[in-house]
Amino acid sequence: MYIQSAYAVSPQGSFSELLESPAQYRGDRLTCKEPDYSKYIDSKLIRRMSRIIKMGAAAAMECLQQANVTMPDAITTGTAYGCLADTDQFLTRMVEFKEELLSPTAFIQSTHNTVGAQIALMLKCHHYNNTYVHRGSSFEAALTDAIGLIGEGEAQTALVGGVDEIIEKSHAILSRFDLYKKDGDTANLIGDPEKGTMAGEGAAFFLLNSNREAGCLAKLDAFQNWYKPKVPAATLVEDFLKRHEAPAGSIDLVITGANGDARYDGVYEALKQSVLNAIPAITYKQFCGEYPTSAAFALWMAAMIVSTGKVPGAAALAAPKRVLVFNNYKQLYPSLYLLSAC
Amino acid sequence: MENKQELIQRLKEQIIKQLKLEDKKPEDIGDHDPLFVEGLGLDSIDALELIVLLQQEYNIKLKNAEEGQDVFRSIDTMADYILEHSAS
């Protein structure tokens, strides 16, 4: 299975920017650099869309344009929080106006599947469309579905994405759980000895294809995710590589989801003592922040790395041909992605 | 109650805000321009937003859905409806 194209709306403007001069953030969050939406979305549609819908739709459209595909056989989307801005607006009005005078737009667009549905509406795509809302494994569930559809011959191409946004209210609520540093700095985030990380957001879409088409970014060799596994991460990695006949020596680069929270980084440190100990490793959450579907950003970054041979923050590394991504959101939802150059 | 011209100006501003017509200014909307399909190009979801606007800003509830076709024909017809029902 191949990643024919990919695009991410993220706190980084582009992969080139990520290589040359990654955007740096201070405080407790990273927010997306949004593209010129008029390039992707009709102006009559834009006015009704909240930010997450625009980010998701733009990422999906750019992804399809890069692949020169106008009609995917399936669309699967993963989001943990869904369309928070519309949900916030709708619920706030429910309270303020005593359940009367509710805006239909906010109601209609507050559902989690709005991004996937809006993409289908824009494409006039009546094919399979599903949205997964599974906390820290939402994107992984969407990817699992797409892989299944392609594997069973139900689809040749599948548009798969992960989207989540920060809004003021949700950020304030999550901050109460002591999740974020108050004075974080992405330049020094990873390895920081204090607790807390920096919040992030983003929308990343991929066009998976059962065939290797010209210009494809990467081959998705293997993927697996778990929920509260009983064995340590190092064992998961060893078993995963063994099952997919990918010896550690065949991997050129590891991308981990370490997020700078001293409470959680132990799991990633342990990997350095595992079969991966001799492999160069980088992190990605200093570029996009922490959020439940951040693995979609990591997968985009990994696909771009094997496609271009260039590694953000590690220019001296030889062009990696095979990359392993390991994320473990809140130490509950580990996931592994193995990619190789086309 | 303000006079009709003042009401029309205020309605245009409220519609732009409520429907997020960010590329429009009040002077872009003619008093007699159709609001739906041609003219402003509004659709059925916008019609629901206009019903909410009438209720929220002017405390006027449409008696039945068919009324909407006449009331929301243009800014001018909306203003007439508001003036008529505010006075009663």
Side-chain angles (χ1 to χ4, degrees):
Chain A
M1 188 165 314
Y2 298 89
I3 299 175
Q4 192 177 338
S5 64
Y7 191 75
V9 174
S10 77
Q12 305 298 325
S14 65
F15 188 68
S16 305
E17 181 184 304
L18 195 51
L19 289 171
E20 288 157 21
S21 175
Q24 302 292 342
Y25 294 82
R26 286 172 181 271
D28 60 3
R29 75 183 87 170
L30 290 75
T31 50
C32 282
K33 291 188 169 186
E34 297 177 63
D36 174 7
Y37 292 121
S38 64
K39 280 166 55 185
Y40 306 105
I41 309 167
D42 185 286
S43 60
K44 281 183 182 160
L45 295 174
I46 284 181
R47 71 181 167 96
R48 230 178 245 146
M49 292 182 183
S50 66
R51 203 166 63 95
I52 189 173
I53 303 170
K54 288 188 280 193
M55 294 191 322
M61 294 304 146
E62 177 64 31
C63 179
L64 290 171
Q65 283 174 21
Q66 286 180 8
N68 203 23
V69 167
T70 54
M71 192 62 69
D73 297 329
I75 300 171
T76 62
T77 313
T79 177
Y81 298 134
C83 302
L84 283 174
D86 282 311
T87 304
D88 175 28
Q89 189 187 340
F90 180 68
L91 293 178
T92 300
R93 286 180 69 100
M94 269 186 84
V95 173
E96 287 179 355
F97 293 96
K98 298 187 168 41
E99 301 187 19
E100 291 187 349
L101 305 174
L102 301 175
S103 159
T105 304
F107 169 64
I108 293 164
Q109 301 197 154
S110 63
T111 57
H112 283 71
N113 61 353
T114 304
V115 175
Q118 188 62 62
I119 294 164
L121 284 168
M122 290 166 69
L123 296 173
K124 296 185 171 57
C125 175
H126 297 254
H127 299 158
Y128 183 93
N129 193 315
N130 224 334
T131 296
Y132 290 87
V133 183
H134 296 303
R135 301 189 180 185
S137 56
S138 301
F139 172 66
E140 286 77 4
L143 184 60
T144 300
D145 191 7
I147 289 172
L149 289 167
I150 290 176
E152 291 170 9
E154 295 287 322
Q156 187 201 322
T157 58
L159 184 65
V160 189
V163 293
D164 271 305
E165 68 173 334
I166 298 173
I167 65 164
E168 288 304 322
K169 274 204 187 113
S170 68
H171 187 69
I173 292 166
L174 290 170
S175 296
R176 286 189 212 156
F177 294 101
D178 215 15
L179 297 176
Y180 307 125
K181 298 180 194 299
K182 287 186 175 60
D183 53 355
D185 181 351
T186 50
N188 308 306
L189 178 65
I190 309 304
D192 185 287
E194 304 296 324
K195 66 183 178 183
T197 180
M198 292 171 75
E201 62 177 7
F205 270 85
F206 307 84
L207 188 75
L208 300 187
N209 197 320
S210 58
N211 299 329
R212 180 183 164 170
E213 302 287 347
C216 92
L217 295 180
K219 181 170 184 283
L220 184 59
D221 292 324
F223 154 73
Q224 191 170 351
N225 69 308
W226 298 261
Y227 175 63
K228 286 187 182 175
K230 290 188 170 56
V231 298
T235 308
L236 295 180
V237 173
E238 281 180 38
D239 291 348
F240 175 82
L241 295 180
K242 204 176 289 177
R243 194 173 316 118
H244 296 289
E245 297 174 347
S250 70
I251 297 166
D252 302 311
L253 179 71
V254 176
I255 301 174
T256 77
N259 67 8
D261 187 328
R263 296 170 295 188
Y264 297 130
D265 280 351
V267 65
Y268 300 105
E269 286 300 314
L271 279 189
K272 292 180 184 168
Q273 315 302 323
S274 74
V275 289
L276 304 177
N277 66 349
I279 304 168
I282 62 169
T283 57
Y284 70 89
K285 286 180 185 166
Q286 73 274 29
F287 301 132
C288 68
E290 178 66 289
Y291 57 102
T293 50
S294 77
F297 177 90
L299 186 61
W300 167 75
M301 196 169 105
M304 297 305 292
I305 287 172
V306 295
S307 169
T308 62
K310 294 175 180 170
V311 183
L317 275 182
K321 298 283 183 211
R322 201 168 211 197
V323 174
L324 180 71
V325 178
F326 174 66
N327 186 35
N328 194 353
Y329 182 69
K330 290 192 173 175
Q331 292 200 10
L332 296 172
Y333 304 93
S335 58
L336 282 162
Y337 305 76
L338 185 62
L339 292 83
S340 56
C342 274
Chain B
M1 186 74 187
E2 61 206 327
N3 68 40
K4 187 173 173 183
Q5 267 318 306
E6 287 170 344
L7 174 60
I8 282 176
Q9 178 65 19
R10 189 150 67 99
L11 258 180
K12 288 177 182 176
E13 289 165 5
Q14 287 168 337
I15 287 172
I16 287 171
K17 188 176 172 211
Q18 182 94 359
L19 306 185
K20 297 179 182 166
L21 300 168
E22 283 152 10
D23 57 340
K24 296 276 185 215
K25 293 180 185 146
E27 54 268 33
D28 296 334
I29 308 173
D31 296 356
H32 299 279
D33 287 353
L35 295 179
F36 290 87
V37 190
E38 35 187 317
L40 263 191
L42 304 185
D43 59 23
S44 57
I45 297 174
D46 294 317
L48 294 172
E49 293 281 7
L50 291 179
I51 292 169
V52 171
L53 187 149
L54 272 189
Q55 199 172 343
Q56 184 182 314
E57 300 292 338
Y58 301 96
N59 201 24
I60 295 172
K61 271 188 182 178
L62 281 190
K63 292 191 183 75
N64 58 62
E66 283 86 48
E67 250 190 329
Q69 287 193 359
D70 293 327
V71 175
F72 299 133
R73 184 165 293 144
S74 67
I75 297 285
D76 189 72
T77 56
M78 275 186 81
D80 283 341
Y81 189 81
I82 291 167
L83 288 171
E84 184 186 334
H85 287 77
S86 299
S88 59

